[in-house]
C-alpha cells in the first residue's frame, strides 16, 4: 500500500489507477470500514482509503480532541484488506489556512435530526467530502448507512452539483449482539458496552411493529424512548421517517426508516433500521 500525505503525490498515483473507488474515513478502523474497502475492491480497479479527522464537522465541546487515532493499526488493516492507496493528510494539507469556502447542504434536510443536534455538522462533512473528491477524483465513493442522514446529504450534494462521483451506500456492520460498530464504542465502559445493544433492540422492536402493520408512530416512538430512559439513556431522538427525505411519514408512506441518537453516559451513539 502506498501512503500519501501530500495532494500531489495522491494525484500522481491516481493518474494510472483506472476506475477508482474512494472510502473516506476518520480512522480508528473497524470491520464496518473494512467491509466498505472490500466492497470498493469489487467495484473498482483501485481502492483509495482516506483517513482524516475533520475538525470542521465537530461542534464546540464535541470529541475532536479525544477522537481515537490509531494510525499504525489502521495501516495494517488497510494492507490486509488489499487497499492500494491511503491518503492520510494532516491538517496543514487539508486546511493550510482556515477554510473559508463551505458546502452548505439544503435546509430541511441537513438541519433536522443529526443536523439539529449538531449544528454545522453536515456543512463540515459536505465540505471535506467535496474536497476529498476534488483531490482523488474517484469514480465512486462508498459510505455506510450507519450514518444514514450523511449518505443522503452526500448523495443529494452529488446530484445537485452534478458531480461525476457515484455515491454508494452500504449496510451497517454490527457486533454479534447487534451494536453497530463505531469508533465511538471505544468510549464505553464495560457496563455501558453491555447496555449499548439496547439502542438497536429498541429500533428493532419498533421496526417489527411497523412491519406488522402498526401506524401509531408517535406512541411507538414514545414507548421506545421511555424504555431507553428507564435504562439510563438520554435520547436525542428516536423517530420513524420516510427514507426518501427523512421527513415525518404520512400513513400511506411505505419506504420508512427508524433513526435514533442517544447518549449513554458521555458517549453519543446513533443507529437506524430501514423498515
Ligand atoms: P467514520 O470513520 O466514522 O467517519 O466512518 C467512515 C465511513 O464508514 C462512513 O461512511 C461510515 O458511515 C462508515 N461506517 C462507520 N461505521 C460503520 C458500520 N458499523 N457499518 C458500515 N459502515 C460504517
Amino acid at each position: 500500500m502506498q501512503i500519501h500525505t501530500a495532494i500531489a503525490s495522491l494525484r500522481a498515483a491516481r493518474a494510472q489507477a483506472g476506475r477508482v473507488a474512494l472510502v473516506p474515513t476518520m480512522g480508528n478502523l473497524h470491520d464496518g470500514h473494512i467491509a466498505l474497502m472490500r466492497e470498493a475492491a469489487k467495484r473498482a480497479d483501485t481502492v483509495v482509503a482516506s483517513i482524516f479527522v475533520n475538525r470542521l464537522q465537530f461542534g464546540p465541546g464535541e470529541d475532536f480532541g479525544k477522537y481515537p487515532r490509531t494510525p499504525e493499526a489502521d495501516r495494517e488493516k488497510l494492507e490486509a484488506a488489499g487497499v492500494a492507496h491511503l491518503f492520510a493528510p494532516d491538517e496543514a494539507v487539508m486546511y493550510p489556512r482556515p477554510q473559508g469556502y463551505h458546502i452548505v447542504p439544503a435546509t430541511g434536510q441537513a438541519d433536522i435530526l443529526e443536523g439539529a443536534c449538531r449544528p454545522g455538522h453536515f456543512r463540515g462533512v459536505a465540505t471535506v467530502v467535496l474536497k476529498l473528491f476534488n483531490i482523488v477524483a474517484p469514480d465512486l465513493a462508498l459510505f455506510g448507512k450507519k450514518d444514514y442522514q450523511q449518505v443522503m446529504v452526500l448523495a443529494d450534494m452529488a446530484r445537485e452539483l452534478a458531480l461525476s462521483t457515484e455515491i454508494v451506500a452500504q449496510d451497517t456492520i454490527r457486533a454479534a449482539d447487534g451494536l453497530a460498530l463505531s469508533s465511538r464504542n471505544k468510549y464505553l465502559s464495560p457496563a455501558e458496552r453491555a447496555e449499548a445493544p439496547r439502542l438497536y433492540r429498541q429500533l428493532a422492536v419498533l421496526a417489527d411493529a411497523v412491519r406488522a402493520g402498526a401506524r401509531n408512530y408517535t406512541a411507538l416512538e414514545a414507548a421506545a424512548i421511555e424504555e431507553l430512559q428507564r435504562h439510563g439513556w438520554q435520547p436525542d431522538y428516536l423517530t420513524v421517517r420516510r427514507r426518501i427525505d427523512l421527513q415525518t411519514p404520512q400513513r400511506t408512506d411505505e419506504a420508512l426508516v427508524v433513526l435514533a441518537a442517544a447518549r449513554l453516559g458521555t458517549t453519543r451513539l446513533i443507529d437506524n433500521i430501514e423498515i
Side-chain angles (χ1 to χ4, degrees):
M1 182 172 74
Q2 289 180 33
I3 299 172
H4 309 269
T5 52
I7 292 173
S9 153
L10 189 278
R11 282 202 173 125
R14 197 267 170 263
Q16 301 121 43
R19 183 173 157 81
V20 168
L22 171 67
V23 183
T25 80
M26 298 203 300
N28 191 240
L29 302 180
H30 51 63
D31 287 350
H33 298 115
I34 299 306
L36 294 178
M37 307 295 164
R38 295 200 191 284
E39 182 62 27
K42 287 187 198 152
R43 293 173 180 243
D45 303 317
T46 304
V47 179
V48 177
S50 67
I51 295 181
F52 181 63
V53 183
N54 173 36
R55 183 189 294 274
L56 288 189
Q57 72 192 68
F58 289 79
E62 290 188 358
D63 54 346
F64 174 74
K66 73 163 185 172
Y67 196 84
R69 291 158 170 90
T70 50
E72 282 95 51
D74 289 352
R75 264 179 243 138
E76 280 169 22
K77 287 179 187 170
L78 292 174
E79 290 266 14
V83 169
H85 297 278
L86 167 61
F87 181 52
D90 61 26
E91 273 207 302
V93 168
M94 285 301 274
Y95 303 129
R97 57 183 195 183
Q99 184 77 12
Y101 288 81
H102 295 94
I103 296 295
V104 182
T107 51
Q109 177 197 64
D111 52 1
I112 59 172
L113 305 172
E114 282 304 280
C117 298
R118 307 182 65 189
H121 172 65
F122 289 120
R123 185 179 94 141
V125 169
T127 301
V128 80
V129 168
L130 184 61
K131 195 156 183 169
L132 288 169
F133 285 4
N134 284 332
I135 293 166
V136 178
D139 296 282
L140 66 157
L142 292 90
F143 297 89
K145 287 190 191 176
K146 196 216 143 214
D147 299 280
Y148 202 85
Q149 192 176 4
Q150 168 172 283
V151 187
M152 217 184 83
V153 165
L154 295 174
D156 283 3
M157 173 181 83
R159 196 176 312 117
E160 289 200 13
L161 298 178
L163 304 185
S164 56
T165 301
E166 180 196 350
I167 306 292
V168 176
Q170 291 295 300
D171 286 341
T172 301
I173 305 297
R174 302 179 178 283
D177 60 10
L179 177 66
L181 298 187
S182 165
S183 305
R184 291 192 168 98
N185 295 349
K186 295 253 160 70
Y187 301 151
L188 299 168
S189 70
E192 289 167 345
R193 175 62 189 82
E195 170 61 23
R198 191 180 308 280
L199 184 63
Y200 175 65
R201 287 203 302 271
Q202 283 305 307
L203 291 173
V205 165
L206 196 157
D208 286 347
V210 174
R211 285 190 199 111
R215 290 292 176 270
N216 52 335
Y217 304 132
T218 315
L220 291 168
E221 291 164 6
I225 286 171
E226 205 181 300
E227 188 64 11
L228 287 173
Q229 284 168 335
R230 271 200 330 112
H231 290 87
W233 294 74
Q234 295 163 275
D236 281 340
Y237 58 82
L238 189 157
T239 180
V240 179
R241 296 296 171 105
R242 314 202 292 211
R243 281 191 215 176
I244 185 147
D245 56 6
L246 299 186
Q247 302 299 320
T248 305
Q250 310 291 315
R251 282 186 78 85
T252 49
D253 283 324
E254 287 194 344
L256 305 174
V257 55
V258 54
L259 310 110
R263 218 173 288 274
L264 186 57
T266 55
T267 307
R268 189 171 179 279
L269 300 177
I270 63 171
D271 202 351
N272 64 81
I273 301 180
E274 288 180 328
I275 300 176

